[in-house]
Amino acid sequence: MKKIILSMLLVPGFVFANGWSVGYTNLDIDGDTLGGLTGSYTWNVADNWDIELGAIIGTKDETFNDGNVSLKLELDTSAFLKAHYNFSEQFHAGLTYADFAGTVSGCVGSTCLAESASGGELGMGIGATFGKITVSFDSLEDTDLLSIQYNF
């Protein structure tokens, strides 16, 4: 399923190149570090304002093992929306909303359980563009996002 979604995000980038971005995002959720591939599209809506809509597909999980107890936190496919104010062609700041989905699975001995949950978070971010590369940092309610993206 992840490969299908990733293909859906990447293929249009080569067909309609202007506005598409792909990259990697590192998520710090209350000390747990997850990562994911990102794909997004950006629209210029006013002189200095852009709207970016994208998805994160989890690729890096967090695990915890202690004797008989084993826990794993996975990032499921999640969406984000960003509103950027561009100070110049290089620097921007703005608001970010992300709807994260995740799965926690754990085993104690031979008994295993898994639970999925999702929720939205709102925050602010800053970023800089250097040629075709954009680096951004977003601080949400319980999550910090550090992203690097290639812009088509």
Side-chain angles (χ1 to χ4, degrees):
M1 181 67 175
K2 288 183 181 179
K3 290 181 183 178
I4 293 170
I5 293 173
L6 182 60
S7 296
M8 289 171 48
L9 290 173
L10 293 179
V11 170
F14 298 108
V15 177
F16 306 105
N18 190 21
W20 287 96
S21 300
V22 294
Y24 184 81
T25 297
N26 188 66
L27 295 89
D28 183 358
I29 305 170
D30 291 334
D32 294 321
T33 303
L34 302 174
L37 296 175
T38 58
S40 65
Y41 190 81
T42 303
W43 294 269
N44 185 343
V45 294
D47 287 341
N48 292 335
W49 288 94
D50 293 334
I51 300 292
E52 180 181 3
L53 177 64
I56 303 172
I57 300 169
T59 57
K60 181 182 178 291
D61 304 329
E62 183 77 22
T63 57
F64 171 78
N65 294 309
D66 186 24
N68 262 359
V69 178
S70 175
L71 295 173
K72 183 177 182 180
L73 176 61
E74 301 174 32
L75 177 66
D76 298 332
T77 302
S78 304
F80 63 88
L81 176 67
K82 296 181 179 185
H84 300 145
Y85 178 79
N86 299 302
F87 295 107
S88 67
E89 288 188 21
Q90 270 191 310
F91 299 104
H92 69 265
L95 297 175
T96 302
Y97 175 79
D99 186 24
F100 295 116
T103 302
V104 176
S105 56
C107 294
V108 177
S110 62
T111 305
C112 296
L113 299 170
E115 184 67 34
S116 295
S118 65
E121 294 189 28
L122 185 63
M124 296 173 33
I126 58 171
T129 301
F130 306 98
K132 294 272 190 185
I133 304 295
T134 298
V135 178
S136 62
F137 176 78
D138 298 281
S139 182
L140 308 180
E141 296 164 15
D142 294 322
T143 308
D144 292 332
L145 307 173
L146 179 60
S147 302
I148 184 165
Q149 291 185 308
Y150 177 81
N151 307 312
F152 291 96

